[in-house]
Every structure is written in C-alpha cells, then in structure tokens.
Amino acid sequence: MSVRPGSVHSLMGENGAGKSTMMKCLFGIYRQDSGRYFLEGEEFNFIDPKHALEHGVSMVHQELNQVTQRSISDNIWLGRYPKRGPFVDEKAMYRASRELFKRLGISLDPRLKLNTLSVSQRQMVEIAKAVSYEARIIVLDEPTSSLTDNEVRMLFDIISVLRGQGVGIIYISHKMDEIFEVSDEVTVLRDGQYIGTETIENLSMEKIVNMMVGRDLGHRFPPRTNVPGEMHMKVSNVATRYPPFIQDVNFELRRGEILGIAGLVGAGRTELIESLFGARTLESGEIYVDGRKIDNNTEQKSIGNHFALLTEERRSTGLYPVADITFNSTIANVKSYRGAIGLLDDRAMMRDTETQIANMRIKTPDCREQIRNLSGGNQQKVIIGRWLLTDPDILLLDEPTRGIDVGAKFEIYQLIINLARDGKSVIMVSSEMPELIGITNRIMVMSNGRMAGIVETEKTDQTEIFNLAMKYLINSAEAKI
C-alpha cells in the first residue's frame, strides 16, 4: 500500500486480518520476515518505536499503554523531557502541553494524573502525544473506540489540520461511517493477505464488507429469536457509596431478555453494572434473583451467584496479557479444575480452552499463545469464553463489541441472542445506538447517575433515547454525546 502526503488512507479487515501486525512492523515493534518499507523514497526498517518516532512515524495504539500514575504532561513528553541543566523543566513542559492542547482544542489541565481521566480523555491525550512528534506519518489504530461524538468531531478537526500540513495518516477503524467521512483511499486485508485498494468514491459499505469477509454479510443484525419470560432479577433503590455516584436505580430483568443500557458519557452505565457485580460499594439497595435476595458485595460472591462481567477496558481490567489463552480462559473458573490433592488438571483446562477456541472461532496458533499476541477482537472472544465456562445466569456486558470488525460483531450479536434464547439474561452497555436498537428487547436510559426511563426497543427511536439521556442534566453544556 502507498500513503500520499496530506491524505487519509484507511486500513480495513476483520479481526486477525493483519492490520495491527502490519503497522507494528512499520513502527518497529515487530520485524517483518520479508518485504520493504519506504519513507519519502528512502528504505527504512525501524529497530524500535523510539527509532520510528525520531524519524517522523508515530502510532496511536488500539489499547492504551500509559503511565497512569503520572501526569498528562509526563506521559506526553516521556523520554524527551525539556531540561534546565540536569533537572526537568516542569514549567516549560507545562507550557508546551498547554500550547499543544490549545492547538488541538483539548480542554484538559496537563497537571492532572492520568488515572483521574476517563478512557475517552486518555485516548485524546494519546492522540495529542502522537501529534507532538511532528510526524510525517501517523497511524491511528481504532482512535475513536472510546470517544464521544463530540470528541470524534474534535479528532476529525485535528485530522483535517494535519492533512493540510501534508501529514500522511493511516486510519484503522471498523466504523463504516467514519471511513466514508475521513478517508481518501481504503486498503483491505483478509487473513494476512492484501485484497485491494480503492478510492473512497469507488466504494460502498457493501463492497467493503464483501472485500473484508469474502462473502455477503446480509443483514447487519441477526434476528431476535429470544423470548423474554418471567422476572429473573429485580434491582431496588441501588445507590453507590463512593463517586462516581449512581442513585435510586430500580428495574426488573426478565429471564431470556437482552436489556440494553444507553446514556451519555458519565451517565453511570458502567458504574451500574459494576455495582451489580460487586466491583463498587453500595450505599443502599437490594438485588433479588428468582425472588431471593442475594449479596453481591464482592466479585467472588457475584461469580458464586452466577453473574459474569465483561469489562469496558479489556487491557487494564480484563486480560492477563503475558499469560497464555488457557490461563485467561480458565482463571474465573479455576477452582473447578482442582484435583483430589489440590493440583490443577492441566489437560482439562486445555480441553475446555480448545473447545472455546472452536466455539468462538478464535484465531490463534494454539491455546498456549500469549493473549497479548491476539487481535483485539479475538482477545474479546477469549474473555467472553472465560465467563461462559462459569455457566452464568446473568451476563453484564460493557461495550462487548468495542474495537471489533463487522464480521466478528455479527458473531457476537448471534452469541448474545443465543445465550438469551437458552434462558440466560443479558444486560448490555453500548455507546452504539444502532447496536442497542438492533439486538435488545428493552433499553434502559441512564442520565447523570439516575435511571431516566426504560423503553421497548421496537417502539422507540434514537430521538426518544437521547431526550431521556438529557433528563437529569442541569444544562445541555454538561452533555457529552
């Protein structure tokens, strides 16, 4: 593929197609076995990311890799601190960060620690860091996966500025609307092979999907074949003790139902399902399952009560990156593999992992592969398979298709519907409104830590959901869409 100065060249393909691997070779993380890279006519092979950055190639990775205990400024200028004599010039670093943020339209105090920011804010910091290197080529790997609509617009404005400065941008995304909005050209990979490059004017969504998956995908969402039954779980007056707060949340979940949770950023969606799973301390509230009051005040008790939680940020809270797929698949259910004298049955663990690899269609050489070597979508499949091995009755899914391509999304949608059809109850948080409308039975809308209402999916639309999401905001300036 060729990237022209001042253009956006999108790179597309299913999970495991080789997009991130190809870019990691470019950026010096991996070494290719064959093939060559050229930058402005000169051949290069970067030995490591520092070498790439120093020569005008920058990359924003799909999974954030930041020093969360340090400030925003420290993260941006790490390895190249401005100095006054032998000491770091904190004032100069602060001024440089402020100037960079002003140029990009980012409203954050560079002195804040990263662990106080939301995922979307941390993503913007990483993008600002890439821009700060004055790179000639910038790779953006799923840059909008954690961004609000307003922040996406801000990113597109930044891309427009960089394009005007002659920067070549390689843009990796699974979001079709973004591809058609920002791209000049699109290259598609499939199973590690080059399929083709087209200008955006010559492409349609159907053609891109066909190039990616090698077949017509048909409908975007599978038919909802699950039929909700009797009440399965009742949540009464739930409120958290520590910020970010949720308060007075009441709802019922039916057996075999898929209940979506919608809301703006900061509305309390993630906080709610983490509270149900015992990952947050409750100030008040009760949870009933099949009419019996349960105590989910720890994650271990929640697992014992047949709950499962798929977290939003899989890298920091869902994976053991240096462990293999077998460990990551069986860790939540490890007690069941203990033998008579307390030793783990390695064969049983591998057997169950191989079964999940086959059932979830996970692309991996074998079950002993380190999970960090898999694509984001295949990592997500491993985590879902992990929870299925615990035989849960209630699944709490936080952004389950984040960073996953259209083909893999369809598979996960079908899996969720199949689980509900088999009598499991599912609560699913998603920032993609078409996704919620496409596969859920009802949608609960959160607003500023409170439940704003529950709507029947087949009788609602995006306008009604947005209006409910605004219900408890003091003024519209607080809304981050």
Side-chain angles (χ1 to χ4, degrees), residues 249-316:
V249 176
N250 298 272
F251 68 93
E252 294 179 356
L253 178 69
R254 292 173 288 176
R255 186 173 293 279
E257 180 181 26
I258 304 171
L259 175 67
I261 301 183
L264 309 179
V265 170
R269 298 169 299 172
T270 294
E271 290 74 19
L272 173 59
I273 62 172
E274 288 180 347
S275 299
L276 298 178
F277 192 70
R280 290 184 179 271
T281 304
L282 293 183
E283 176 64 26
S284 63
E286 296 175 336
I287 303 172
Y288 297 86
V289 173
D290 293 329
R292 179 177 61 88
K293 184 179 177 181
I294 63 168
D295 181 10
N296 277 7
N297 60 7
T298 67
E299 294 92 335
Q300 290 79 9
K301 287 185 178 180
S302 299
I303 295 172
N305 288 325
H306 300 287
F307 279 64
L309 171 64
L310 186 76
T311 58
E312 176 185 15
E313 189 67 14
R314 61 175 171 261
R315 185 183 181 90
S316 60

Side-chain angles (χ1 to χ4, degrees), residues 86 89 112 170 179 192 250 292 346 373 375 384 480:
D89 191 338
L112 292 173
I170 301 175
I179 296 299
N250 298 272
R292 179 177 61 88
D346 194 52
N373 295 332
S375 67
I384 293 174
K480 291 183 179 180

Side-chain angles (χ1 to χ4, degrees), residues 349-403:
M349 294 169 69
M350 292 180 66
R351 184 175 61 249
D352 285 353
T353 302
E354 293 286 4
T355 299
Q356 291 301 325
I357 288 172
N359 291 344
M360 303 292 290
R361 298 175 62 186
I362 298 167
K363 294 181 180 178
T364 177
D366 55 54
C367 65
R368 289 303 187 188
E369 184 75 11
Q370 283 190 344
I371 195 168
R372 65 179 178 179
N373 295 332
L374 303 189
S375 67
N378 284 300
Q379 290 175 352
Q380 192 79 310
K381 290 180 181 180
V382 171
I383 301 173
I384 293 174
R386 170 201 299 169
W387 287 115
L388 294 183
L389 287 175
T390 68
D391 192 26
D393 289 328
I394 297 175
L395 292 97
L396 311 172
L397 309 179
D398 197 351
E399 304 285 2
T401 64
R402 178 184 160 202

Side-chain angles (χ1 to χ4, degrees), residues 213-259:
V213 303
R215 62 188 188 277
D216 290 323
L217 193 63
H219 298 293
R220 182 176 176 184
F221 302 102
R224 283 189 294 253
T225 54
N226 62 304
V227 180
E230 73 280 2
M231 187 179 74
H232 190 185
M233 180 176 71
K234 180 179 179 180
V235 174
S236 179
N237 299 316
V238 161
T240 52
R241 178 172 299 174
Y242 305 109
F245 296 108
I246 59 172
Q247 53 185 323
D248 300 326
V249 176
N250 298 272
F251 68 93
E252 294 179 356
L253 178 69
R254 292 173 288 176
R255 186 173 293 279
E257 180 181 26
I258 304 171
L259 175 67

Side-chain angles (χ1 to χ4, degrees), residues 7-268:
S7 72
V8 177
H9 195 121
S10 290
L11 184 60
M12 300 196 72
E14 290 192 278
N15 289 303
K19 308 181 297 297
S20 294
T21 300
M22 182 177 175
M23 292 301 100
K24 286 176 180 178
C25 290
L26 165 69
F27 196 54
I29 298 173
Y30 296 161
R31 295 298 298 272
Q32 70 269 22
D33 296 301
S34 62
R36 296 184 293 174
Y37 288 96
F38 295 86
L39 182 61
E40 296 180 339
E42 296 185 8
E43 185 174 355
F44 67 88
N45 278 297
F46 298 132
I47 59 175
D48 55 36
K50 184 175 183 290
H51 190 204
L53 291 166
E54 291 171 347
H55 288 79
V57 177
S58 187
M59 183 173 180
V60 178
H61 297 275
Q62 178 179 349
E63 302 291 351
L64 301 178
N65 191 12
Q66 298 167 313
V67 187
T68 57
Q69 296 298 321
R70 302 298 298 175
S71 70
I72 292 173
S73 288
D74 283 331
N75 276 269
I76 291 176
W77 306 107
L78 184 65
R80 52 193 177 125
Y81 289 134
K83 291 186 177 181
R84 178 181 293 176
F87 303 105
V88 174
D89 191 338
E90 296 282 353
K91 290 183 178 179
M93 186 165 64
Y94 174 74
R95 284 195 303 271
S97 301
R98 288 294 299 268
E99 290 170 5
L100 176 64
F101 282 3
K102 183 177 180 181
R103 171 184 164 196
L104 300 178
I106 298 174
S107 300
L108 287 173
D109 185 344
R111 293 168 295 194
L112 292 173
K113 281 190 177 182
L114 241 66
N115 60 8
T116 66
L117 306 183
S118 67
V119 175
S120 60
Q121 289 171 326
R122 289 173 53 196
Q123 186 88 14
M124 293 304 293
V125 169
E126 198 69 9
I127 292 167
K129 178 180 178 179
V131 173
S132 73
Y133 280 92
E134 306 296 338
R136 290 169 286 170
I137 295 288
I138 296 179
V139 181
L140 301 178
D141 192 354
E142 297 286 353
T144 65
S145 60
S146 301
L147 302 186
T148 66
D149 286 351
N150 284 342
E151 289 165 332
V152 170
R153 297 255 47 95
M154 187 188 305
L155 172 63
F156 288 171
D157 289 341
I158 293 170
I159 289 174
S160 180
V161 170
L162 296 173
R163 184 189 257 157
Q165 295 173 353
V167 177
I169 296 171
I170 301 175
Y171 192 91
I172 301 175
S173 177
H174 294 123
K175 298 181 179 179
M176 289 290 185
D177 55 339
E178 294 178 5
I179 296 299
F180 282 96
E181 183 166 353
V182 302
S183 304
D184 297 297
E185 295 174 288
V186 177
T187 290
V188 176
L189 303 181
R190 184 171 72 235
D191 295 327
Q193 300 291 321
Y194 172 82
I195 301 302
T197 299
E198 295 280 357
T199 60
I200 198 66
E201 293 82 9
N202 294 330
L203 289 170
S204 63
M205 185 181 298
E206 291 75 17
K207 185 174 181 179
I208 292 177
V209 171
N210 187 264
M211 292 173 71
M212 286 171 57
V213 303
R215 62 188 188 277
D216 290 323
L217 193 63
H219 298 293
R220 182 176 176 184
F221 302 102
R224 283 189 294 253
T225 54
N226 62 304
V227 180
E230 73 280 2
M231 187 179 74
H232 190 185
M233 180 176 71
K234 180 179 179 180
V235 174
S236 179
N237 299 316
V238 161
T240 52
R241 178 172 299 174
Y242 305 109
F245 296 108
I246 59 172
Q247 53 185 323
D248 300 326
V249 176
N250 298 272
F251 68 93
E252 294 179 356
L253 178 69
R254 292 173 288 176
R255 186 173 293 279
E257 180 181 26
I258 304 171
L259 175 67
I261 301 183
L264 309 179
V265 170

